[in-house]
Amino acid sequence: MEQNSENHRAMTPAERLKGLETFVAVAEAGSFTAAAERLNLTNSAVGKAIARLEGRLHKQLFDRTTRRLAMTDAGELFYAACVRVLEELETAERDLSSEHIEPSGRLRVDMPATFGRLHAIPSLLAFARAHPRIAPQVSFTDRFVDVVEDGLDVVVRIGGPDAWPATLGYRYLGSEELVFCAAPDYLARHGEPDSLERLFEHDAVLYGRADGSASPWFVGDGRSPPARRHVEGRIVLGQAEAQVAAVEAGLGIAQLATWLVAPRIRDGRLVKVLPALATQGLPLHLVWQKRRQQVPKVQALVAHFEETLRIRPEE
């Protein structure tokens, strides 16, 4: 033990940094394979780096008996320390470089498919024009992605957990407004409902989930949280713009976010039905890895999206 302690004291700062980035990558990715892909290393190289680190520390950092690689208590403590060290190094390097003057590098962004195409992409393209040294790489995912495990920099997400993980930073950008709407042709043929009870007598155009179920309607009176009401659908579609197309085609009434249908309501292609039943929908959030929130390219995009992506009623 005394010999080990002497060896530890004899280590240089550079030697102590060996393996830290690999350890953090494994901890955040949840597997040696995912970390190896992220670091462009072989699985064997990653495994050996972790084994050397555990040998140097005389502590087991990962529990390898579970299906998903999990950190031990010692690993959790060491991870927190490693993140602080790497963040300080990154800050120091950034302050000594020109990157703080002009953000640069690849920027991985994920956003919902329809909201992304209609709202986030126009904003992102303007951002790309203003920052020619940043190279955005954009994916479109309607599920809630794992920001850290998937190696994403900034995520635009409608909805989200009640409590965000401590590893993530986030910004609330407003909530959807949901309205019932129909095509004038449909209302001319079937009449316009004048009460909630009559509304449920009409054909419904519903959004279909990936599990085969249909999303309920949310109905409130403005004084209490909206209640879920499950209805039978005249047609169920698993894509928001297809749902809008079905409503425009006169197939029934749908409850839709105003950010999706506001232009059609303004030009008369769609009409609000029972506007007093408009209710708040899901929240819009920006999400990013907290340990990367001081990186200039991440800071720049978060600030840009904060200015351009806020949801407001009638949008």
Side-chain angles (χ1 to χ4, degrees), residues 111-125 138 140 142 156 158 176 239-245 248 256-264 266 269 284 305 308-311 315:
M111 57 186 65
T114 301
F115 184 83
R117 189 186 73 78
L118 295 178
H119 293 275
I121 279 295
S123 172
L124 183 68
L125 296 180
V138 185
F140 297 87
D142 286 326
V156 179
I158 294 178
E176 301 175 306
Q239 205 275 340
E241 288 176 289
Q243 192 184 10
V244 174
E248 279 195 77
L256 299 166
T258 52
W259 60 259
L260 181 61
V261 295
R264 292 170 172 82
R266 284 195 293 267
R269 283 178 288 169
L284 174 69
F305 275 163
T308 59
L309 283 187
R310 292 188 176 275
I311 293 182
E315 291 185 347

Side-chain angles (χ1 to χ4, degrees), residues 152-167:
L152 296 164
D153 291 304
V154 178
V155 170
V156 179
R157 190 56 63 224
I158 294 178
D162 293 331
W164 294 88
T167 55

Side-chain angles (χ1 to χ4, degrees), residues 9 40 100 246 304:
R9 285 196 297 270
N40 292 319
H100 69 284
H304 176 77

Side-chain angles (χ1 to χ4, degrees), residues 179-221:
V179 296
F180 291 103
C181 53
D185 171 69
Y186 173 85
L187 297 177
R189 288 184 287 114
H190 297 274
E192 184 169 350
D194 57 7
S195 67
L196 182 60
E197 291 71 23
R198 291 294 179 88
L199 174 66
F200 287 108
E201 296 173 0
H202 280 260
D203 294 334
V205 178
L206 302 179
Y207 181 82
R209 297 168 170 152
D211 62 5
S213 65
S215 292
W217 281 351
F218 292 86
V219 181
D221 56 11

Side-chain angles (χ1 to χ4, degrees), residues 104-303:
S104 63
R106 188 181 70 155
L107 186 63
R108 293 199 59 198
V109 183
D110 187 83
M111 57 186 65
T114 301
F115 184 83
R117 189 186 73 78
L118 295 178
H119 293 275
I121 279 295
S123 172
L124 183 68
L125 296 180
F127 174 82
R129 286 194 298 270
H131 298 278
R133 294 185 61 197
I134 293 179
Q137 180 177 331
V138 185
S139 55
F140 297 87
T141 311
D142 286 326
R143 64 180 175 84
F144 191 75
V145 295
D146 188 318
V147 181
V148 175
E149 184 172 342
D150 293 340
L152 296 164
D153 291 304
V154 178
V155 170
V156 179
R157 190 56 63 224
I158 294 178
D162 293 331
W164 294 88
T167 55
L168 299 182
Y170 63 94
R171 189 83 73 242
Y172 170 72
L173 297 183
S175 294
E176 301 175 306
E177 182 183 55
L178 301 178
V179 296
F180 291 103
C181 53
D185 171 69
Y186 173 85
L187 297 177
R189 288 184 287 114
H190 297 274
E192 184 169 350
D194 57 7
S195 67
L196 182 60
E197 291 71 23
R198 291 294 179 88
L199 174 66
F200 287 108
E201 296 173 0
H202 280 260
D203 294 334
V205 178
L206 302 179
Y207 181 82
R209 297 168 170 152
D211 62 5
S213 65
S215 292
W217 281 351
F218 292 86
V219 181
D221 56 11
R223 297 184 299 274
S224 57
R228 294 169 178 262
R229 292 287 297 268
H230 290 275
V231 296
E232 291 296 322
R234 164 75 170 80
I235 184 170
V236 180
L237 299 136
Q239 205 275 340
E241 288 176 289
Q243 192 184 10
V244 174
V247 177
E248 279 195 77
L251 292 179
I253 296 175
Q255 186 178 45
L256 299 166
T258 52
W259 60 259
L260 181 61
V261 295
R264 292 170 172 82
I265 291 173
R266 284 195 293 267
D267 66 21
R269 283 178 288 169
L270 295 180
V271 176
K272 286 185 182 181
V273 174
L274 294 172
L277 295 181
T279 189
Q280 181 174 298
L282 295 172
L284 174 69
H285 287 102
L286 291 181
V287 188
W288 59 88
Q289 295 187 47
K290 190 175 290 185
R291 64 181 292 262
R292 294 183 59 76
Q293 65 187 6
Q294 298 302 319
V295 175
K297 61 188 178 183
V298 174
Q299 281 187 317
L301 183 58
V302 169

Side-chain angles (χ1 to χ4, degrees), residues 1-12 15-16 55-58:
M1 176 65 75
E2 186 175 343
Q3 182 67 38
N4 287 337
S5 178
E6 290 177 0
N7 290 341
H8 186 71
R9 285 196 297 270
M11 291 177 62
T12 67
E15 289 173 327
R16 285 201 175 96
R56 196 173 84 215
L57 298 171
H58 308 292

